[in-house]
Amino acid sequence: MDRIAITNVKGIENSVYDVQLIPNKPTLVVAPNGFGKSSITAAFGSLRSKRMELDKDECHKGDENLNPSLKISYTMKDGSKIEKEANQTKNELAAVFGVHVINSQLVSKAKKLRIAGTNIVTSAIEVTPVVLIKIIPEKSKFSYSYATAKGSFGRNGKVLPNISNLLTDNRVMAKIWNHVDFSKQAQAGVKKAIKALQDDINAKTGNSEQILASVKEDTIQAVSAIDFVGGILTSFAESGINHASRIEAILAALQVGDIHASDKGAFKKAGERANYVFEKAAYIEDFTALKGTWRNIQPKETGDGLVIAFPKANQISNGERDIICFVAQLKKAKLQLKKNKTIILVIDEIFDYLDDANLVACQYYLTQMISELKSEGRQIFPLIMTHLNPGLFRNFTFSDQKICYLNKIAIADKAVESIISKRDDPTISDAISKHFLHFHSDDIDLSNEFQALGLPAGLATAFQFSVHCTNQLQRYVEGKNFDPLAVCSGVRRQVEKLSFELIGKEFQGEFLSTHKTVNKLQFAQSTGVTVPEVYFLLAVIYNDAMHVRPNQDNFSGLGAKLANLTIKHMISTLIEPEAP
């Protein structure tokens, strides 16, 4: 997947995002709050089988007359480009992708109390029940009589296996119901091949074992090649159903086919019920396996269907609530998209508010789902919406992930990046660290070393580097285009310079020789001066720029942080200190 284009959804009027999604690999879609992540989520969440359906508050500017659109562009294996669109009149995406959105289930419920003649309104945080299966099929069984089946087969009906137990195995019958194509069952060629097998068996003599052993291989192959027979045999194998021989498995499959052909409506009801019972049992097993208070939270049948209902938010820890909500929605996604070969799973900022342990737990469950779908030969594109910077903060620990910045910053002048990328070269490492990336009162000239390393000659002295970073810092504060790496470098140098100027001259030499900015600031404090707290707080900015990664966007993540208005105000005080 290469590109997502959205029109007239919430805060997005018309935007195109280069996302380059990779199958079975989580993609972290990173952007500051207010940049449009919730609008992208709303666009995917509005997809229905035939069109986009937005609520009024999800329409751009609240105008229901503005037509929404969601386009996805992707590249096929042969290199061809494909674009599919969904809007208010069509959904071309549905033929290619199954889409599911996971978001917070927390809601605020208002309650009115009357106390001493006065109405008091209070609110409580509750968790919206997760509806796993909306419609519970009525109880129904497959109609089968072994005696009738033998009689219908012919004189050697004794060779048929009794499939009574098989029909009560909800796992195998659910697979048959979901995956077997019976559409060609009534075709003349299909009937002819089945009759040839039946006639061949009925023409023989001997006991059941002798008769089955003498069936011609080409006759067996002809019936095995029938679509619905092959599908049923596959369902048997995948469900662990074993027969004494292939011919017995075929005869069992043909009996299932006969049940379907005799009453398709009854077969449909029984298939839906078997599928429901199997899935319900699987859900109960999954949630029972969870530890702690989760054992009391299990799927239950209600008037709304099969649901996961939660206790009140104050009766369960936030961590348990968040994980159980996430797991329940993952299960729902897999259930709803069980027939889709390609899946888009949008996770809307749920990971942003988890503590470290629960963050790892949620990633574990998502990774499990990815592995399961991959083993089934399916593809999933997980889009994790976040305002955090996972590449720098290590908030996410997926071993195989891709990061996509919506507020991608294009930097023409990458001089500072080139210098930082070579900072560990032994010919310049000490000087770069001491005089360039940290403040120092003395200048140093690395022109020869820069020339040998192919670094920009115009920034070969510490003074030139300082002036460049200060200029970029000023441009940032003034709202002009800027280099985030240069700004962060400028912030660190300015913090150290201002701290250096606070202390007495007798301490300045030791200050300059102290390693790490935080140690320099603490040393300055130890001399008796007051170092503004903002100098320490800005470490979240100036430390991020000191190490760049090859073949990665080293600008957009920093740009997202620098876009924060409070951060911008804090940095501006370094240039124009606030009045005491």
Side-chain angles (χ1 to χ4, degrees):
M1 195 179 301
D2 307 317
R3 181 173 296 179
I4 297 173
I6 298 175
T7 302
N8 292 329
V9 178
K10 292 191 71 172
I12 296 177
E13 181 176 8
N14 191 356
S15 296
V16 178
Y17 305 101
D18 294 320
V19 289
Q20 297 178 337
L21 306 183
I22 300 174
N24 306 316
K25 175 184 289 192
T27 296
L28 311 181
V29 182
V30 184
N33 286 327
F35 194 82
K37 297 187 300 297
S38 64
S39 300
I40 296 173
T41 301
F44 280 102
S46 73
L47 294 176
R48 303 295 180 265
S49 60
K50 295 183 179 180
R51 65 182 68 87
M52 291 178 73
E53 295 180 6
L54 289 173
D55 293 334
K56 183 175 181 179
D57 59 358
E58 294 175 331
C59 297
H60 182 57
K61 298 181 180 179
D63 188 347
E64 295 177 274
N65 294 317
L66 294 175
N67 297 327
S69 172
L70 170 61
K71 297 179 182 177
I72 294 180
S73 303
Y74 54 97
T75 304
M76 301 296 288
K77 291 182 179 180
D78 61 4
S80 60
K81 302 286 185 179
I82 303 292
E83 181 178 89
K84 298 293 182 180
E85 179 182 7
N87 55 36
Q88 76 281 7
T89 62
K90 65 180 181 180
N91 183 4
E92 298 173 342
L93 301 175
V96 183
F97 303 102
V99 177
H100 190 87
V101 174
I102 293 178
N103 45 33
S104 175
Q105 298 295 294
L106 292 180
V107 294
S108 178
K109 291 289 184 70
K111 293 185 178 181
K112 184 184 291 185
L113 303 175
R114 189 168 182 81
I115 302 176
T118 303
N119 289 328
I120 305 294
V121 179
T122 63
S123 64
I125 299 297
E126 296 184 5
V127 185
T128 303
V130 177
V131 181
L132 298 171
I133 301 175
K134 191 171 185 179
I135 299 176
I136 298 177
E138 62 184 49
K139 293 182 179 180
S140 181
K141 296 181 179 180
F142 294 97
S143 178
Y144 175 72
S145 166
Y146 182 46
T148 301
K150 289 192 293 183
S152 299
F153 188 84
R155 64 187 296 266
N156 281 330
K158 63 185 179 182
V159 302
L160 293 182
N162 189 333
I163 64 170
S164 296
N165 291 336
L166 186 152
L167 295 175
T168 60
D169 187 327
N170 292 312
R171 176 184 175 85
V172 66
M173 296 314 297
K175 276 188 173 292
I176 290 173
W177 170 244
N178 285 312
H179 301 297
V180 175
D181 180 7
F182 288 97
S183 62
K184 299 178 181 178
Q185 186 178 9
Q187 289 184 352
V190 170
K191 291 183 175 181
K192 182 178 179 181
I194 294 174
K195 189 173 187 307
L197 174 64
Q198 187 173 343
D199 290 345
D200 187 17
I201 292 175
N202 283 327
K204 298 181 182 301
T205 58
N207 61 35
S208 295
E209 185 176 344
Q210 292 170 333
I211 292 172
L212 294 180
S214 64
V215 177
K216 298 175 183 177
E217 182 61 28
D218 57 345
T219 304
I220 293 176
Q221 291 299 328
V223 176
S224 298
I226 296 171
D227 287 349
F228 84 85
V229 175
I232 294 174
L233 293 177
T234 298
S235 297
F236 287 167
E238 292 178 350
S239 303
I241 302 297
N242 297 312
H243 291 88
S245 63
R246 183 167 182 79
I247 184 59
E248 285 196 28
I250 290 172
L251 292 173
L254 290 176
Q255 290 183 83
V256 175
D258 287 341
I259 297 171
H260 174 268
S262 64
D263 191 337
K264 295 181 178 60
F267 190 92
K268 179 177 184 292
K269 289 181 180 180
E272 289 175 342
R273 182 66 187 184
N275 184 61
Y276 167 75
V277 173
F278 169 69
E279 289 177 342
K280 177 184 175 182
Y283 284 131
I284 291 175
E285 182 180 353
D286 287 340
F287 285 98
T288 301
L290 300 176
K291 296 180 179 180
T293 59
W294 297 4
R295 289 177 181 165
N296 299 321
I297 301 176
Q298 292 186 348
K300 296 180 180 179
E301 293 183 359
T302 71
D304 295 321
L306 184 68
V307 305
I308 297 289
F310 300 87
K312 292 181 180 179
N314 63 354
Q315 297 175 356
I316 184 173
S317 74
N318 290 343
E320 288 175 324
R321 176 202 68 210
D322 293 337
I323 290 219
I324 200 69
C325 282
F326 183 70
V327 171
Q329 291 191 83
L330 277 183
K331 298 295 182 183
K332 180 178 180 178
K334 191 173 182 187
L335 171 67
Q336 291 188 341
L337 305 175
K338 60 188 175 186
K339 294 185 179 180
N340 295 98
K341 296 292 290 184
T342 305
I343 294 169
I344 297 175
L345 181 67
V346 182
I347 302 173
D348 186 21
E349 293 191 305
I350 286 183
F351 285 8
D352 290 15
Y353 308 102
L354 299 173
D355 60 34
D356 290 344
N358 287 319
L359 179 61
V360 172
C362 282
Q363 290 177 93
Y364 166 73
Y365 288 115
L366 177 57
T367 301
Q368 273 195 322
M369 180 177 178
I370 293 172
S371 297
E372 289 169 4
L373 293 174
K374 190 175 180 180
S375 69
E376 295 168 6
R378 298 199 280 167
Q379 293 184 333
I380 181 172
F381 295 91
L383 277 68
I384 302 173
M385 302 293 177
T386 177
H387 65 263
L388 303 176
N389 185 350
L392 299 171
F393 282 159
R394 299 179 182 272
N395 290 300
F396 295 91
T397 56
F398 292 113
S399 62
D400 190 16
Q401 67 184 26
K402 182 175 177 59
I403 301 172
C404 171
Y405 294 100
L406 295 185
N407 61 323
K408 192 173 181 64
I409 296 177
I411 302 298
D413 182 359
K414 297 186 178 181
V416 172
E417 182 187 45
S418 66
I419 293 172
I420 296 177
S421 67
K422 296 287 182 67
R423 63 172 296 182
D424 293 328
D425 187 280
T427 63
I428 62 172
S429 59
D430 289 342
I432 288 293
S433 177
K434 188 174 183 179
H435 293 269
F436 282 63
L437 301 182
H438 288 278
F439 166 78
H440 202 285
S441 56
D442 297 334
D443 194 12
I444 189 170
D445 189 345
L446 299 178
S447 295
N448 293 334
E449 292 83 351
F450 270 39
Q451 182 178 7
L453 293 172
L455 296 175
L459 299 181
T461 71
F463 177 76
Q464 290 172 326
F465 184 83
S466 174
V467 170
H468 175 76
C469 291
T470 300
N471 288 339
Q472 290 295 311
L473 185 56
Q474 188 66 44
R475 290 181 63 84
Y476 161 68
V477 172
E478 293 173 355
K480 300 177 181 178
N481 293 335
F482 62 91
D483 172 5
L485 284 173
V487 169
C488 292
S489 298
V491 168
R492 177 192 257 189
R493 290 182 59 89
Q494 186 70 355
V495 163
E496 293 183 5
K497 178 176 181 294
L498 293 174
S499 301
F500 176 81
E501 293 172 348
L502 287 174
I503 62 179
K505 291 186 177 179
E506 68 273 23
F507 301 116
Q508 290 180 342
E510 186 173 350
F511 178 93
L512 294 174
S513 63
T514 298
H515 295 286
K516 297 185 177 181
T517 302
V518 64
N519 294 339
K520 290 176 182 287
L521 300 184
Q522 290 172 346
F523 171 75
Q525 284 182 321
S526 71
T527 68
V529 302
T530 299
V531 176
E533 186 65 22
V534 69
Y535 294 5
F536 290 93
L537 294 176
L538 284 173
V540 72
I541 295 298
Y542 55 68
N543 284 339
D544 281 351
M546 297 305 105
H547 297 277
V548 299
R549 296 167 178 79
N551 303 315
Q552 181 175 304
D553 181 354
N554 293 301
F555 301 99
S556 297
L558 294 174
K561 290 184 182 180
L562 293 171
N564 184 283
L565 295 179
T566 301
I567 295 293
K568 188 171 186 177
H569 172 72
M570 292 166 63
I571 292 175
S572 69
T573 65
L574 303 178
I575 300 175
E576 300 173 0
E578 293 182 303

